[in-house]
């Protein structure tokens, strides 16, 4: 696969190889960085945390030497390179397993798209427990965001009166 060398993307969702490429510590990056970003999206859906797992870790004081050692972008990139995930806020064990494999530090250890799409967390169809279903989680997140937006809009209208 062709490799890229430009540092681009949303910092909170950048794969370690992109961060390392920017500092000259890696020769380039390819498709596995997209799997990493997909892992960040899954994390955001499952936890309703819009900034991804490493944004959270960068703000936790003293977590394995992270979240206070460096601030700002440097602290964020340090957390990404360390690969320490805040899996304590992910309740479903299958979701934790999927995230661990999507967000593996080394690209060669990361899931492929086929691996991810055939993971039990995405494949289960147990209607009695749809709480782990990706589409259900996305729907809940969307409804929550729309409800918050509507409530904010209604409050603004009331203040205007």
């Amino acid at each position: 696969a062709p490799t890229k060398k430009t540092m681009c993307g949303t910092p909170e969702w950048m794969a370690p190889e992109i961060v390392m490429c920017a500092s000259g510590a890696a020769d380039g990056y390819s498709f596995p960085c997209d799997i990493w970003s997909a892992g960040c999206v899954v994390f955001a859906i499952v936890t309703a945390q819009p900034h991804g797992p490493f944004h959270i870790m960068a703000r936790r004081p003293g977590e394995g030497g992270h979240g206070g050692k460096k601030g700002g972008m440097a602290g964020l990139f340090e957390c990404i390179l360390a690969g320490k995930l805040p899996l304590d806020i992910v309740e479903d064990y299958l979701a934790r397993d999927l995230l661990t494999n999507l967000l593996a530090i080394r690209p060669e250890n990361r899931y492929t798209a086929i691996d991810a799409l055939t993971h039990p967390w995405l494949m289960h169809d147990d209607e009695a427990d749809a709480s782990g279903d990706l589409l259900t989680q996305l729907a809940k997140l969307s409804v929550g965001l729309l409800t918050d937006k509507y409530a904010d809009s209604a409050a603004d209208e009331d203040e205007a009166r």
Side-chain angles (χ1 to χ4, degrees):
T3 59
K4 307 286 183 192
K5 296 182 182 202
T6 306
M7 184 176 186
C8 61
T10 303
E12 288 90 348
W13 296 19
M14 280 185 186
E17 58 269 31
I18 297 175
V19 175
M20 290 175 21
C21 191
S23 68
D27 293 329
Y29 58 91
S30 188
F31 298 116
C33 69
D34 295 330
I35 297 298
W36 176 278
S37 296
C40 291
V41 170
V42 171
F43 181 88
I45 291 169
V46 169
T47 64
Q49 300 288 326
H51 299 292
F54 302 99
H55 182 84
I56 292 169
M57 293 307 295
R59 280 153 179 70
R60 281 189 178 177
E63 286 285 332
H66 299 99
K69 190 172 179 183
K70 294 181 183 175
M73 232 23 101
L76 174 67
F77 290 154
E78 182 180 295
C79 289
I80 289 171
L81 293 173
K84 185 160 174 47
L85 296 169
L87 293 177
D88 57 317
I89 65 172
V90 179
E91 295 176 17
D92 187 284
Y93 75 96
L94 287 174
R96 282 193 305 269
D97 181 69
L98 177 62
L99 288 166
T100 299
N101 288 290
L102 293 174
L103 298 170
I105 292 293
R106 298 174 57 103
E108 60 272 15
N109 295 340
R110 211 169 289 150
Y111 267 5
T112 65
I114 297 295
D115 295 330
L117 291 171
T118 57
H119 188 276
W121 189 75
L122 289 173
M123 297 294 295
H124 86 282
D125 61 357
D126 183 2
E127 292 179 24
D129 180 23
S131 64
D133 179 70
L134 179 61
L135 294 177
T136 301
Q137 291 292 337
L138 183 57
K140 287 179 183 177
L141 179 62
S142 298
V143 168
L145 292 174
L146 289 173
T147 303
D148 291 346
K149 183 177 180 180
Y150 177 76
D152 291 344
S153 175
D156 289 345
E157 287 179 17
D158 288 343
E159 287 180 20
R161 289 182 199 159

